[in-house]
Amino acid sequence: MKESNIFSRLKMRFIGILQDAYSNNEKDLSFDHNADLDKRFENNMAKLQDAVILLDKAEDADDKVAAKVALVYIRVYAMNLSNFFEDFKDDADLLRSSSIWPDIPENYELPEHYNFPHK
């Protein structure tokens, strides 16, 4: 199930939490606040998919040079995606380290009304 604008929603939520947690602008988030993060993700995924198609074609043609070039592209686009998610991970770490949050009690379980399917 695809959630539209998931990264834009996450960006806006992170910006709001950052403003609550660090009102004096002493901290900043890793991602570009002005970027369309959903579009950036989709572009990087499309480039990775194109590189995989190139690898398929090169392998089918037994073209080792083109296959190696495809592997370089796959590495580049995979790293772009890795860095994209690394920024969110780093920002989540920054935000949860703020003193605005209470401690999570031992044996805490999310209330059922959140309907969070992954426990």
Side-chain angles (χ1 to χ4, degrees):
M1 177 178 169
K2 182 182 176 196
E3 288 285 330
S4 62
N5 300 315
I6 189 168
F7 300 113
S8 296
R9 288 179 23 228
L10 187 57
K11 174 178 77 170
M12 296 312 298
R13 188 64 70 177
F14 274 19
I15 289 171
I17 294 169
L18 180 74
Q19 291 169 345
D20 288 344
Y22 301 102
S23 58
N24 59 1
N25 296 328
E26 69 186 62
K27 302 284 185 182
D28 198 12
L29 298 172
S30 300
F31 58 80
D32 180 356
H33 297 200
N34 298 315
D36 182 336
L37 298 178
D38 294 289
K39 187 164 207 59
R40 182 176 289 171
F41 175 77
E42 290 169 10
N43 286 341
N44 277 307
M45 280 302 298
K47 289 177 182 179
L48 180 61
Q49 290 170 338
D50 289 343
V52 171
I53 292 168
L54 173 61
L55 180 61
D56 287 342
K57 289 178 180 179
E59 283 290 293
D60 290 346
D62 198 28
D63 185 341
K64 299 298 184 199
V65 175
K68 188 172 184 178
V69 168
L71 292 171
V72 170
Y73 284 126
I74 289 168
R75 182 188 185 288
V76 168
Y77 302 135
M79 284 298 297
N80 287 347
L81 287 164
S82 176
N83 291 337
F84 179 85
F85 286 106
E86 181 87 12
D87 285 347
F88 282 108
K89 181 206 66 79
D90 290 347
D91 291 342
D93 286 343
L94 169 72
L95 295 174
R96 65 182 186 90
S97 70
S98 167
S99 62
I100 66 169
W101 307 110
D103 291 334
I104 299 172
E106 191 173 329
N107 300 321
Y108 176 80
E109 291 187 26
L110 282 172
E112 290 296 322
H113 67 270
Y114 288 113
N115 297 320
F116 187 69
H118 311 285
K119 296 182 184 181

